[in-house]
Amino acid sequence: MSLERTSDDARLLAPFEETRAQKRISVYDRRSIDGEAIIVETSGLDYNQFLRFITEVLIIPSTERFVLTTTDRTMLDFDKFQELEDGNTLHLMQTEHQELPAATQEKIVFTPHYDTLVRSGMYEYYASEGQMALPYALAELIDNSISATASSKGERSIELRLLFDDTLGKPAVVFVDNGSGMTSKQLNNWAVYRLSKFTREDGKFRSDHQGYTRPEDVSRSINSDISCFGVGGKQAIFYIGNSTRMITRPTGSPDVHELILSKEDFESKAMNNEDIYSGFIHNRKVGDSSHVQKESECFLHNLIAEETEKGSFTAVVITGIPPEHAQSLKNDFDKWTRELAHIYHYYIHGLNGNDLVHPLNSNINIEVSLQEKPPRCPRVVNLREVDNDMQTLYINSAADTFEFKACTPSGGAVDGVLRYHPFLYDRETYPQGPHTHPAPTEDELEDGESGAGSQADGRRHIFECFWNGRLIPYTTLSEFEWCKRPGKHSPVPLECYSRLSGVLFANDRFQVSTNKLTFIDLELQLQKKDTIFTRIVNGQEQRVQIKREFSQWLTGCHERLDKQVHFVGFKKTITRAEM
Amino acid sequence: MSLERTSDDARLLAPFEETRAQKRISVYDRRSIDGEAIIVETSGLDYNQFLRFITEVLIIPSTERFVLTTTDRTMLDFDKFQELEDGNTLHLMQTEHQELPAATQEKIVFTPHYDTLVRSGMYEYYASEGQMALPYALAELIDNSISATASSKGERSIELRLLFDDTLGKPAVVFVDNGSGMTSKQLNNWAVYRLSKFTREDGKFRSDHQGYTRPEDVSRSINSDISCFGVGGKQAIFYIGNSTRMITRPTGSPDVHELILSKEDFESKAMNNEDIYSGFIHNRKVGDSSHVQKESECFLHNLIAEETEKGSFTAVVITGIPPEHAQSLKNDFDKWTRELAHIYHYYIHGLNGNDLVHPLNSNINIEVSLQEKPPRCPRVVNLREVDNDMQTLYINSAADTFEFKACTPSGGAVDGVLRYHPFLYDRETYPQGPHTHPAPTEDELEDGESGAGSQADGRRHIFECFWNGRLIPYTTLSEFEWCKRPGKHSPVPLECYSRLSGVLFANDRFQVSTNKLTFIDLELQLQKKDTIFTRIVNGQEQRVQIKREFSQWLTGCHERLDKQVHFVGFKKTITRAEM
Ligand SMILES: Nc1ncnc2c1ncn2[C@@H]1O[C@H](COP(=O)(O)OP(=O)(O)OP(=O)(O)O)[C@@H](O)[C@H]1O
Ligand SMILES: Nc1ncnc2c1ncn2[C@@H]1O[C@H](COP(=O)(O)OP(=O)(O)OP(=O)(O)O)[C@@H](O)[C@H]1O
Ligand SMILES: [Mg+2]
Ligand SMILES: [Mg+2]
């Protein structure tokens, strides 16, 4: 349909044609204190025409000398005039170096650079020397899928597929979930950096979705409310690769919405002086992959074909994976899947975690698959099958537990568990395993060797910390006042304190950093005097002094569970009736 | 000047008047697979007029039923039509639930939320449990001033003024430097989040300033090149307060440029659906404070009056200081000024640091002042006078030094110094002082007590690390292979290794995180096999095996400098001739 004017009120344009480019220049007459300001639409004018126009309008006698400069005092000439952009401001003065008799206002635009999306992950987000960053980037997208499937009644399915078979296209990291999907407005919001759940508004047509409601209190805060700051997905995606295609079908809609963000796109828009933060959502019917043309994206046809068997879903397709990431995703497959199983331990195994004897599954399935070029076999791991993540090891080697709760005056609530890993006959049962925390230094290991067993003794931070049910990997906490290894007068040998592991489940009144790697205020809050700790037995709060309770429990553990006194680190002789 | 059309080519508008609001709606006819797309300018139309127009243009027979929905499948009605915004897309279909026979394109805008500027500092930047964040926020603005004064020949003056006298207005934190200032284009660029030195372009009229040139190699990399990612100033400002007024006069210009960014402004622009990232630079003559009206900003008149005595300068005026920050700036004055003196130690004292016996000053003056309501006296500290920052303590208690250099294949260069703090008669001289690093845990202290002195022994990380001459406070490094405390066969008592402090000066080939709190790859790079360490003596590289050199140096230190053998931690007997 061509451009035509069919009525007085409405104009009809060919799709996406822009109106004529404007180039409006503000000119401040600052020859004297009472000079005027005018805005001139200059598109189509050359410098001489512009000058003529100015002298006419401002009634400058032809004998009067004047200069036109930018606000940076650069003198205008024919070429520089051409380079002016819409919205620029000029000063009209008697001389180049004259001072401004009155102030001027200059309109500026300071839209964030696209590196805000593309590079935030690099320098800030995963900046942690010597730490694995990749699993935590992958986790951001799993976080989103856990949130998106929160209200699902049936199985909550989250797949992470590594498509590394180059006969099917370039390497891709794909996340697919059967969550609620996104409407086109929500997909638009997805792309808005730092639009947090607190500031989001899903559009005028969805007033039911507006505003944020704090999740209800649930045991151990496993509330699926782990989409938060409006940065995670974007930063993670551009850390993992350099381009993403979001494909999503919202609940109840026959349409699929797609949006591509890519570094290359941003660069070309910047080059061409186009709006950086504008793009197009592609709306289409289910299963329609006719828009996928590139051979390098061949795998998309399969992915899109699967849509017909699904209801609502979201697929995040990341490409432009740098070779070193592809390498470590392949080579360290076991390592990072274990770390993911650790992060989501209580989401995939439920409230009590992975008790290998009495397994109790949740309805969240997180499946990781790696597909390489045949004849290499695909690898598939359901994170629930991982049985060597640290929480699984702690849970299954614990012989007794001590549950407690901490409450802060401002509504912060932490469910806590201490676990006792006894000494059995000739060895500590404290689990050995790769640390997510910095490995102990040489000295620490040395100290450990002289203690009750390097693993059990070398660790000072006994609590792993979860936030809304999800591991915050870099924050670990040492003991609280009431369960501290005492200086003297210990009722049990000191090494018993090294047989403790612990876990804290904090609710969302505690703040985490945007990258979800550390708590901001957990330790601070918990150390405050007015934070109240109570022991929990069978789900019931005990109105008793927790320090004494703990001490009795620990003594009981030692007496009942440690099967041989271990005399390394010998401090005093204890007479034990049952031995 | 009123709106009038004075020529065919140019229109004259009153300043800042906008053209008539557009409301262009794309309509995709998706009743069938070959339907068209049109864009309709709908401003001024109501729903019925719009419908009439559509049926006319698309020639829809009056008997045919059709529906109009948003891309989220919300049916349009009279009210919802009014709520549409410029650029929205509609689907014209036979029925509400019909699938899309062909895809549609929907234009979206996803400008980052203003929390990008306002909140990045909060959650991400200074997120470090239990650490002082304020001095590092203040440091970001000093970084900028150090960069801005880099090419000054005379005194480089950087002032940090805490204006906490409420008779002069609301509390303000003000930074003033006599650096090169900013042109209005540079001031505009200042506000662009994540416009880094690598991507910056100072404007078409300043081609001399375009592109980034790596600083020349200088000794210890004290090159003033510490403005980097395009986020520091903004994030720090909105961490310190909630509003800033930038006041700057660039070299050689008679004009002063001012720009205000404030959280409140952002909020009101968001509320009114205005462009978030646009604003106005106020250009004025030197000393002109006639635009300052509010009594709460009374102090600005003094500040602006000072301009007449200056050349180029930049003043950053931060207001909206939360009470808890004001409190700790006042109460912890000594603590955070010491930390600033530590960060900029080698900038304020020069290459060799603060040698109290042979002081050698640089031309950088950083002065901190705190002004409270009289009769409270103002406090003024030149950071150069601080004599208890850790580097000053290390330098002045060192009895000998061992200099070296590390080079990585990719051009990374690190100048290093090890310092020996001998044991004298009855005590270790290893300096005691507040740590910038996490304080040693209880266990560490316990270990320390059983060693050669708690301070000297408790520390495992001996190197403080500087980047382009500026301290990166949270990265400390433990020993390298060649200077490691040996397991057995030590030529000197093991506690000698605890008498070492060290400092590393890395050049800009090493990456730091955006908040300049940690190195990303220093330790990794230095541990690589192909990193070459050489000893430096009198500025000359020694072609000798560094491990043996070090060992000899340490033995020498012990034999010459330790004035009494300290037998705690006794390992074997050493016969020393001179004793
Ligand atoms: N898999 C998904 N399914 C449905 N909606 C999603 C999905 N992934 C993201 N979204 C939507 O996009 C928004 C932005 O995601 P993103 O990860 O960038 O930030 P966030 O999750 O809100 O916050 P953060 O990850 O920083 O805590 C989410 O809040 C959610 O509304
Ligand atoms: N005091 C100043 N004098 C002159 N120019 C300045 C001053 N402060 C900031 N600028 C300019 O503004 C830019 C942006 O400053 P900002 O601190 O936000 O980011 P950056 O210094 O470029 O990078 P980062 O601080 O993240 O390393 C600087 O690069 C510099 O060009
Ligand atoms: Mg997220
Ligand atoms: Mg900076």
Side-chain angles (χ1 to χ4, degrees), chain B residues 467-486:
Chain B
W467 173 80
N468 288 355
R470 180 241 208 248
L471 180 72
I472 301 300
Y474 294 174
T475 293
T476 51
L477 251 65
S478 55
E479 318 92 330
F480 301 109
E481 182 48 39
W482 52 265
C483 58
K484 233 171 79 173
R485 182 197 298 243

Side-chain angles (χ1 to χ4, degrees), chain A residues 351-549:
Chain A
L351 215 55
N352 295 317
N354 191 18
D355 181 338
L356 295 169
V357 183
H358 309 101
L360 235 179
N361 291 337
S362 80
N363 63 341
I364 301 181
N365 258 309
I366 307 179
E367 194 179 87
V368 182
S369 63
L370 167 63
Q371 194 177 330
E372 291 179 271
K373 189 162 147 190
R376 300 203 76 144
C377 284
R379 298 186 64 171
V380 183
V381 170
N382 187 313
L383 290 190
R384 195 176 289 129
E385 294 158 9
V386 174
D387 60 3
N388 60 354
D389 66 288
M390 285 314 295
Q391 281 300 318
T392 300
L393 299 182
Y394 288 134
I395 290 170
N396 291 285
S397 67
D400 202 354
T401 58
F402 179 91
E403 295 190 39
F404 60 95
K405 198 175 170 76
C407 293
T408 71
S410 50
V414 175
D415 291 329
V417 183
L418 277 163
R419 302 191 172 108
Y420 192 78
H421 307 278
F423 184 87
L424 288 186
Y425 310 113
D426 56 349
R427 61 181 184 90
E428 295 287 349
T429 60
Y430 195 94
Q432 308 250 351
H435 296 263
T436 51
H437 339 291
T441 64
E442 188 140 313
D443 295 32
E444 279 166 331
L445 283 175
E446 272 172 36
D447 298 348
E449 274 158 26
S450 65
S454 76
Q455 216 35 263
D457 219 8
R459 290 173 68 89
R460 271 126 199 170
H461 284 218
I462 58 175
F463 289 105
E464 299 200 321
C465 304
F466 290 75
W467 173 78
N468 287 355
R470 179 241 209 249
L471 180 72
I472 302 301
Y474 294 173
T475 293
T476 52
L477 251 64
S478 56
E479 318 93 329
F480 300 109
E481 182 49 39
W482 50 264
C483 59
K484 234 170 79 174
R485 181 198 299 244
K488 336 236 132 77
H489 315 301
S490 171
V492 292
L494 283 179
E495 63 262 32
C496 292
Y497 287 88
S498 302
R499 293 178 186 142
L500 293 173
S501 76
V503 49
L504 298 177
F505 297 93
N507 70 1
D508 68 347
R509 304 294 172 119
F510 297 92
Q511 297 192 314
V512 294
S513 59
T514 331
N515 54 20
K516 304 195 186 100
L517 293 175
T518 50
F519 275 96
I520 294 181
D521 60 352
L522 181 62
E523 186 157 14
L524 272 173
Q525 295 289 338
L526 292 184
Q527 275 168 355
K528 283 192 180 155
K529 278 193 310 291
D530 43 11
T531 295
I532 293 166
F533 287 88
T534 37
R535 182 176 186 182
I536 306 283
V537 177
N538 295 324
Q540 299 297 311
E541 298 193 17
Q542 308 292 301
R543 299 226 138 267
V544 283
Q545 212 221 343
I546 193 164
K547 191 164 181 167
R548 195 184 319 140
E549 285 284 298

Side-chain angles (χ1 to χ4, degrees), chain B residues 56-106:
Chain B
E56 239 172 67
V57 172
L58 296 175
I59 321 171
I60 307 179
S62 62
T63 52
E64 186 175 327
R65 277 206 50 193
F66 68 90
V67 295
L68 271 171
T69 72
T70 66
T71 54
D72 286 346
R73 298 261 172 173
T74 305
M75 297 271 280
L76 226 60
D77 61 21
F78 199 90
D79 292 338
K80 283 182 177 147
F81 177 75
Q82 299 301 330
E83 289 172 22
L84 290 177
E85 286 169 11
D86 186 39
N88 280 172
T89 295
L90 298 177
H91 289 167
L92 176 76
M93 293 178 297
Q94 293 171 344
T95 64
E96 189 184 346
H97 299 294
Q98 169 207 314
E99 72 177 17
L100 288 175
T104 70
Q105 303 295 325
E106 175 181 7

Side-chain angles (χ1 to χ4, degrees), chain B residues 139-141 143-145 147 226-234 516:
Chain B
E140 285 289 353
L141 295 149
D143 283 354
N144 288 350
S145 292
S147 295
I226 43 183
S227 264
C228 203
F229 305 102
V231 304
K234 278 88 75 181
K516 304 196 186 101

Side-chain angles (χ1 to χ4, degrees), chain A residues 140 144 227 232-233 516:
Chain A
E140 285 288 353
N144 287 349
S227 264
K516 304 195 186 100

